[in-house]
Amino acid sequence: YWAEQFWNAFKNNLLLFLLHMLIQNPIALALAALLSIPTLKGAAMYRTVFFLPTLLSVVVVGFIWQLILSPTWGVTSGAMNSLGIGQFFRPWLGLESSALITVTLISIWQYVGIPLMLFYAALLNVPEETIEAARIDGLNGWWIFWKVKLPLILPTLGLVAILTYIGNFTASFDIIYSLQGGMAGPNFSTDVMGTFLFRSFFGFQAQLGDVYMGATVASALFFIILIGVSVYLFGVQRRLQRYDS
């Protein structure tokens, strides 16, 4: 019983991490590249808009998105009907096949501002002399980004990747609990290590807690994070340092 829930939570956590890496971080990098264009008007306003959801309480975000996506009183169904695509509406948070992806997209909406700001700061630190030299060599526009800026911000890319890894295994509990509750429904389809640890240690509803099982899950979670951080520090980070030198 515990083993089945553990591997289900671990699998969901890995999927959550991969979705954030494949969706959130590329979007953040693209937005940061656009915001770093010196001639862009209103860049400060755009930065504020993109970062603002990060400042919201997770409980507030969960409640708002439950209202938006609710098939009973949510605005999504009416909006899709008005656009003539109402037949595609589904109770995405209530379906096992789509609940985890929906939660992930909500999480991306809230937290995309953090990697965006990290990428943005890294892009601003690219020496102007290097960019001017690239222009003299005939590069312009996106070629400067791909050939010059992107290689120079590789350490930041690695940092964002490991922060995404740690965050998905430690901080994903908040958004899932606020949206789906402690049982991480439907049928544990959104269960992650954080919610599994919560239930196994403290218990939830009819499920009794077990301090020994909770401690075991917490230890496993610690070693999962430790392995990821070790791979980054002794693998990726060392290669990036050799690249910089």
Side-chain angles (χ1 to χ4, degrees):
Y1 174 75
W2 291 112
E4 182 181 354
Q5 289 196 30
F6 174 86
W7 290 114
N8 175 64
F10 180 69
K11 178 199 69 175
N12 288 339
N13 243 143
L14 284 181
L15 180 58
L16 199 69
F17 166 67
L18 291 176
L19 289 174
H20 277 81
M21 286 293 296
L22 296 175
I23 301 176
Q24 174 186 270
N25 293 349
I27 291 176
L29 181 59
L31 291 175
L34 291 173
L35 292 175
S36 64
I37 298 175
T39 57
L40 180 66
K41 296 181 179 179
M45 182 191 68
Y46 295 138
R47 290 198 304 269
T48 303
V49 170
F50 291 134
F51 192 76
L52 189 60
T54 307
L55 305 178
L56 298 177
S57 167
V58 178
V59 176
V60 173
V61 170
F63 181 72
I64 290 174
W65 279 102
Q66 280 183 331
L67 291 178
I68 293 174
L69 298 176
S70 172
T72 305
W73 56 75
V75 299
T76 304
S77 177
M80 293 181 68
N81 285 328
S82 64
L83 295 174
I85 55 174
Q87 67 273 19
F88 297 108
F89 176 78
R90 297 291 184 274
W92 290 293
L93 285 174
L95 298 175
E96 291 184 35
S97 59
S98 60
L100 184 62
I101 296 176
T102 305
V103 170
T104 303
L105 293 177
I106 294 173
S107 174
I108 290 172
W109 171 83
Q110 182 178 13
Y111 292 114
V112 70
I114 295 177
L116 187 155
M117 288 303 174
L118 291 173
F119 291 142
Y120 178 73
L123 289 171
L124 290 184
N125 283 329
V126 174
E128 189 63 31
E129 297 82 3
T130 305
I131 299 175
E132 288 298 328
R135 289 197 180 101
I136 294 173
D137 289 338
L139 297 179
N140 53 43
W142 284 104
W143 284 110
I144 292 179
F145 174 78
W146 290 113
K147 298 292 186 179
V148 178
K149 292 184 178 181
L150 188 61
L152 291 176
I153 66 169
L154 283 179
T156 304
L157 291 175
L159 175 63
V160 169
I162 192 59
L163 289 178
T164 303
Y165 179 83
I166 296 173
N168 275 274
F169 276 97
T170 57
S172 56
F173 167 83
D174 300 343
I175 188 66
I176 292 176
Y177 188 86
S178 64
L179 284 167
Q180 305 294 82
M183 298 302 289
N187 195 25
F188 302 110
S189 60
T190 57
D191 199 17
V192 293
M193 296 297 293
T195 51
F196 178 52
L197 171 61
F198 170 77
R199 288 197 317 276
S200 61
F201 194 92
F202 297 103
F204 190 79
Q205 295 180 355
Q207 180 175 323
L208 298 177
D210 185 336
V211 293
Y212 299 106
M213 187 62 199
T216 303
V217 175
S219 300
L221 181 58
F222 169 77
F223 283 109
I224 290 171
I225 296 173
L226 180 63
I227 291 172
V229 173
S230 299
V231 170
Y232 169 73
L233 290 178
F234 298 107
V236 178
Q237 185 67 17
R238 284 189 175 182
R239 291 186 179 183
L240 291 177
Q241 288 176 350
R242 287 198 296 267
Y243 177 82
D244 291 338
S245 60

